[in-house]
Amino acid sequence: MMAARLPVDLFDDGPRDVPLGPGAVLLGGFALPLGEALLAAVADVAARAPFRHMVTPGGWRMSVAMTNCGAAGWVTDRSGYRYDPRDPETGRPWPALPRAFADLAARAAAAAGFPSFAADACLVNRYAPGNRLSLHQDRNERDFAHPIVSVSLGLPATFLWGGERRADRPRRVPLRHGDVVVWGGASRLAFHGVDTLRAGTDARTGDVRYNLTLRRAL
Ligand code: SIN
Ligand code: FE2
């Protein structure tokens, strides 16, 4: 009698954890069970603090649309980069950090080896096809002892995972809906970015990708 064979692609969409460096890991599909709740919370945040295209200190309009929630929001304008407790567009405090965001950030950080992470801020990025985010370091936070937790929702993208120096050739890491990347420790100031988003349609988000970057900013 022939043994039943498992289809070879049975686990293709299953969890896959990819080490990226010391203190840095891609937790494949970690946020999948929460996808709908996270997207609902994004819509909620955006209703109160609309997505906008910020301007870099050098005067360039960013192609990626951004908003924030939490105790402080990451903003850029002609005067520089900073965390601001208020939304400069409305003068009001940013929407509170949704519980689902904070819980997910704590669990993902713990899974990556950072057991006591408590995010207080979340930058929400919205990428349309053609948008990209050039290589940069996350360095406006007060204490680099805390890791960064980055959640991908919607259209797939290619994460560019660089090194300590901007000139280090980045590794190309595919990111899909529900993936979470955590980086801290020796990788906390690694250069990273997102390659030009390819057009597509996602059943949950339509023609865009969202990214939640959860941080301890203050
Ligand atoms: C960021 O570095 O701020 C965003 C990363 C991403 O969109 O995956
Ligand atoms: Fe970043």
Side-chain angles (χ1 to χ4, degrees):
M1 198 178 118
M2 267 177 60
R5 280 171 54 203
L6 292 170
V8 290
D9 63 349
L10 185 63
F11 298 108
D12 270 9
D13 289 321
R16 64 202 204 295
D17 292 350
V18 182
L20 297 176
V25 64
L26 161 64
L27 304 171
F30 192 90
L32 265 183
L34 284 173
E36 299 299 321
L38 298 175
L39 286 169
V42 167
D44 231 55
V45 167
R48 286 174 291 152
F51 282 101
R52 79 288 309 265
H53 296 275
M54 299 188 206
V55 175
T56 67
W60 298 96
R61 175 186 184 268
M62 298 190 77
S63 70
V64 178
M66 299 177 172
T67 186
N68 288 280
C69 52
W74 185 86
V75 296
T76 173
D77 59 22
R78 289 307 299 244
S79 67
Y81 307 120
R82 66 180 181 281
Y83 278 95
D84 199 315
R86 288 176 180 272
D87 179 348
E89 297 278 311
T90 63
R92 292 195 301 265
W94 298 99
L97 193 66
R99 172 73 66 82
F101 287 16
D103 286 352
L104 171 64
R107 285 194 301 110
F114 303 95
S116 52
F117 180 58
D120 62 4
C122 181
L123 171 67
V124 185
N125 291 159
R126 187 186 66 198
Y127 298 76
N131 293 173
R132 58 189 284 272
L133 194 64
S134 54
L135 286 179
H136 65 277
Q137 296 168 295
D138 288 7
R139 54 180 314 145
N140 299 121
E141 299 72 32
R142 199 162 280 169
D143 182 355
F144 299 148
H146 302 293
I148 302 287
V149 175
S150 173
V151 182
S152 290
L153 297 168
L155 284 182
T158 301
F159 191 49
L160 303 173
W161 178 251
E164 279 171 44
R165 288 160 305 166
R166 190 182 296 276
D168 292 339
R169 189 192 173 90
R171 175 171 164 188
R172 300 174 62 81
V173 181
L175 292 181
R176 298 185 297 196
H177 176 81
D179 285 353
V180 178
V181 184
V182 181
W183 64 96
S187 292
R188 176 60 179 74
L189 291 176
F191 279 89
H192 60 279
V194 177
D195 201 358
T196 311
L197 194 81
R198 297 177 58 163
T201 307
D202 181 274
R204 297 150 293 226
T205 64
D207 61 356
V208 300
R209 168 180 187 259
Y210 295 102
N211 170 261
L212 313 176
T213 307
L214 286 138
R215 303 165 172 149
R216 182 95 200 165
L218 305 180

